[in-house]
């Protein structure tokens, strides 16, 4: 239980790198765990598959979700998070290329705490990512921990 | 006339007849005679024949208490009068039959001396034969009274082989079964019916839209049926083609939407990498690049960002083209003020005087009209950028209808020689080095105004500003 974890669900290695870089340059104290698609994210959160040894009580401080992902998309990951009593309060934000109205609508309807469109220009992108990190890990007060079976 | 005699009305009629006859011969006079006429009328409309009526009379007469001598003779005379009266409706029906038959030239026997009727008949025949519709008349037993030329052509029969015969003598069994069943139903139902019928002809299957209606005389008795059928095969094919075209357009539209959607996601991602890693290079290896190398990397970033802007603008253009128009009153003045404030806030140092006419309200889709004004005012703001002091004006001319709205500026203007290119996608009249832009803004304006049933045009002069006008279709409420 040392540093806070950001679960970054992102399939594009270049976007992963740019995001990690932006977080590293900001004053956010945290460790980034990467899930390469929706299924990996679920396995990590609920201690399944390769993550079966993980303590599922130890939730990340923030989930950053891309929408278009292989196997299971961001909306479905979000719905799974919200449907489970262990994770239903977990802060989750969408970070995506899409600014489409229907994606924003479905994002918030699926239970996103925030929706950020990835700016194309790098300095704006870096600033958006570091602001996200700062806000959710430093400024924001997290929800109290929930125990399994006792939501 | 012999078919369809339900037993109940018949029995009722018998009783009525007997009691009315008894009344009349016992001397109740005029009133009872009226009843005879009414009974006759009812009998005629129920399809009861003349012979049946005679039988009815005979039975009723037999039921009367016996009378002899002068009483008996008087009673026979009265009974005769009663019978004549009860038959008079049949006479009128018969006359109606004869008239219509004479007009169509079916009866033959009478009418030849009446030249007016002859002329009318001729005209009617000419008309009926000239039309492309199939027209026929049948009597209440389903026998053809008349067929027009088109009937002969479609069914490959001669008129003289059809008249007086029934469907089963003339047509293939299946067609005859179907046609006579429908025709009987129309006659019995006494109401017109419109239906589509498929008929196989020499050149393939044809669809006919048939209007069938019973022929009813003044007394309400059906004495036949008329059918007017129009070949709608071509119209059906056109409808089908249209339906398929609409379906294809819907599919294409859906595909286009899916396409725009993946463009939004997938085309932007590599651009972010190009821009991002160029910046990373500049930050981390900048000291190892000479100024020219740094400048080139700057170009790479600018190009990536420009392409990003193009993609966003194209998506915007696609977005204004799809979806329904949600029409309602839109306060254009308020929208302009809001946009002007935002433009001023984006470059607080610029001196631009906005003149926005108050209370201009138009009918349209709020989101789309806002996009029109954002583009026009945005352009005005952009092209006055090199002026130390500029003026941007919004206003409306309500007359002539529909109202004309305009956005005027004192900016760079344009050469009227190129005015046609103004509203095309990716068309630009200025070099990017002078004024930024993707050439999609005015195409978007054009698309939105067109969707509102309006028109957009522009006037300008190099270095003396430009005015953009647009109208919107006025929807009456």
């Amino acid at each position: 239980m040392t540093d806070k974890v950001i679960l970054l669900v992102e399939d594009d290695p270049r976007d992963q790198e740019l995001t990690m870089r932006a977080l590293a340059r900001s004053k956010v104290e945290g460790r980034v765990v990467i899930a390469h698609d929706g299924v990996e994210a679920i396995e990590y959160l609920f201690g399944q598959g390769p993550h079966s040894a993980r303590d599922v009580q130890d939730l990340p401080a923030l989930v950053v979700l891309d929408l278009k992902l292989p196997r299971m998309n961001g909306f479905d990951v979000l719905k799974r998070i919200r449907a489970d009593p262990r994770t239903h309060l977990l802060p989750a934000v969408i970070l995506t290329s899409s600014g489409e109205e229907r994606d924003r609508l479905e994002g918030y309807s699926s239970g996103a705490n925030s929706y950020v469109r990835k700016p194309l220009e790098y300095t704006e992108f870096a600033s958006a990512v570091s602001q996200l990190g700062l806000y959710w890990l430093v400024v924001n007060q997290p929800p109290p921990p929930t125990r399994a079976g006792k939501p | 006339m012999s078919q369809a005699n339900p037993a109940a009305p018949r029995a009722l009629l018998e009783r009525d007849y007997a009691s009315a006859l008894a009344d009349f011969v016992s001397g109740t006079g005029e009133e009872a005679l009226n009843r005879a006429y009414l009974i006759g009328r009812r009998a005629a409309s129920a399809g009861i024949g003349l012979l049946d009526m005679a039988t009815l009379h005979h039975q009723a007469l037999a039921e009367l208490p016996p009378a002899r001598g002068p009483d008996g003779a008087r009673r026979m005379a009265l009974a005769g009068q009663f019978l004549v009266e009860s038959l008079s409706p049949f006479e009128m029906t018969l006359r109606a039959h004869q008239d219509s038959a004479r007009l169509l030239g079916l009866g033959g026997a009478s009418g030849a001396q009446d030249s007016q009727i002859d002329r009318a008949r001729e005209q009617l025949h000419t008309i009926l034969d000239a039309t492309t519709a199939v027209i026929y008349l049948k009597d209440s037993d389903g026998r053809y009274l008349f067929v027009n030329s088109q009937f002969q052509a479609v069914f490959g029969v001669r008129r003289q082989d059809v008249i007086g015969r029934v469907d089963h003598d003339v047509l293939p069994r299946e067609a005859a079964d179907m046609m006579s069943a429908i025709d009987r139903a129309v006659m019995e139902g006494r109401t017109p019916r419109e239906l589509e019928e498929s008929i196989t002809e020499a050149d393939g299957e044809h669809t006919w839209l048939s209007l069938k209606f019973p022929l009813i005389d003044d007394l309400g008795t059906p004495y036949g049926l008329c059918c007017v059928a129009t070949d709608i095969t071509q119209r059906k094919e056109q409808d089908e083609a249209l339906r398929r075209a609409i379906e294809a357009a819907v599919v294409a539209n859906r595909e286009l939407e899916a396409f725009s959607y993946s463009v939004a996601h997938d085309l932007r991602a590599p651009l972010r990498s190009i821009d991002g890693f160029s910046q990373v290079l500049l930050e981390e290896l900048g000291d190892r690049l000479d100024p020219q190398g740094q400048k080139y990397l700057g170009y790479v970033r600018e190009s990536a960002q420009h392409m990003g802007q193009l993609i966003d603008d194209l998506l915007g253009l696609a977005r204004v083209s799809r979806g329904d128009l949600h029409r309602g009153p839109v306060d254009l003045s308020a929208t302009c003020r809001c946009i002007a404030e935002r433009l001023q806030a984006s470059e607080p140092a610029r001196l631009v005087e906005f003149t926005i006419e108050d209370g201009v309200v138009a009918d349209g889709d709020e989101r789309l009209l806002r996009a029109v004004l954002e583009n026009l005012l945005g352009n005005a703001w952009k092209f006055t950028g090199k002026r130390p002091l500029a003026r941007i004006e919004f206003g409306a001319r309500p007359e002539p209808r529909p109202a004309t709205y305009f956005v005027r500026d004192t900016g760079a203007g344009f050469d009227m020689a190129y005015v046609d290119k103004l509203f095309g996608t990716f068309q630009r009249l200025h070099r990017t080095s002078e004024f930024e832009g993707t050439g999609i803004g005015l195409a978007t304006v054009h698309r939105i105004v067109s969707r509102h049933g309006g028109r957009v045009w522009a006037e300008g002069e190099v270095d003396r500003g430009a005015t953009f006008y647009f109208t919107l279709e006025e929807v009456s409420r």
Side-chain angles (χ1 to χ4, degrees), chain B residues 59-106:
Chain B
Q59 279 172 1
L61 210 57
E63 278 170 25
L64 290 176
R68 302 200 182 281
D71 262 4
R74 199 178 63 90
R75 204 159 74 176
M76 282 309 285
L78 284 174
Q81 203 183 335
F82 189 87
L83 177 64
V84 168
E85 195 60 30
S86 71
L87 290 182
S88 69
F90 287 87
E91 196 190 349
M92 289 165 82
T93 311
L94 210 58
R95 206 178 302 135
H97 258 300
Q98 283 166 346
D99 281 352
S100 51
R102 258 163 66 209
L103 205 54
L104 286 165
L106 309 170

Side-chain angles (χ1 to χ4, degrees), chain B residues 289-311:
Chain B
L289 284 169
D290 62 10
Q292 193 157 30
Q294 294 192 6
K295 191 172 83 182
Y296 290 163
L297 265 183
Y299 286 169
V300 171
R301 293 196 63 201
E302 272 171 32
S303 303
Q305 287 164 26
H306 181 66
M307 184 159 171
Q309 193 59 50
L310 277 171
I311 292 170

Side-chain angles (χ1 to χ4, degrees), chain A residues 38-142:
Chain A
V39 174
E40 257 189 57
I42 294 298
E43 286 173 345
Y44 176 86
L45 287 172
F46 299 116
Q48 301 160 352
H51 297 284
S52 53
R54 210 182 72 80
D55 176 11
V56 294
Q57 302 288 340
D58 187 11
L59 287 173
L62 176 69
V63 180
V64 176
L65 265 175
D66 193 7
L67 286 183
K68 232 181 156 185
L69 294 164
R71 297 204 282 178
M72 183 191 282
N73 71 29
F75 297 128
D76 290 337
V77 173
L78 202 48
K79 284 173 194 154
R80 290 281 292 274
I81 289 174
R82 292 295 174 245
D84 195 295
R86 291 169 294 181
T87 52
H88 77 292
L89 298 176
L90 184 62
V93 306
I94 290 171
L95 182 64
T96 172
S97 294
S98 167
E100 295 284 297
E101 202 175 297
R102 57 174 160 163
D103 283 343
R104 278 184 285 148
L105 184 66
E106 195 177 349
Y108 281 112
S109 309
S110 308
N113 295 94
S114 178
Y115 187 111
V116 175
R117 188 187 185 196
K118 292 174 183 171
L120 201 144
E121 206 267 330
Y122 178 70
T123 40
E124 285 174 35
F125 175 81
S127 147
V129 169
S130 74
Q131 281 183 54
L132 259 187
L134 270 176
Y135 177 79
W136 286 103
L137 269 65
V138 180
V139 179
N140 184 59
Q141 288 284 314

Side-chain angles (χ1 to χ4, degrees), chain B residues 195-208:
Chain B
L195 61 150
E196 275 184 28
E197 292 175 296
S198 289
I199 296 171
T200 310
E201 290 170 38
D203 61 342
E205 181 109 336
H206 280 239
T207 307
W208 292 82

Side-chain angles (χ1 to χ4, degrees), chain B residues 320-342:
Chain B
V320 304
S321 308
R322 63 180 193 235
D324 296 328
L325 287 185
H326 301 285
R327 279 180 185 273
V330 182
D331 187 341
L332 297 183
S333 303
T335 308
C336 282
R337 279 194 295 272
C338 177
I339 297 166
E341 268 171 38
R342 223 183 35 232

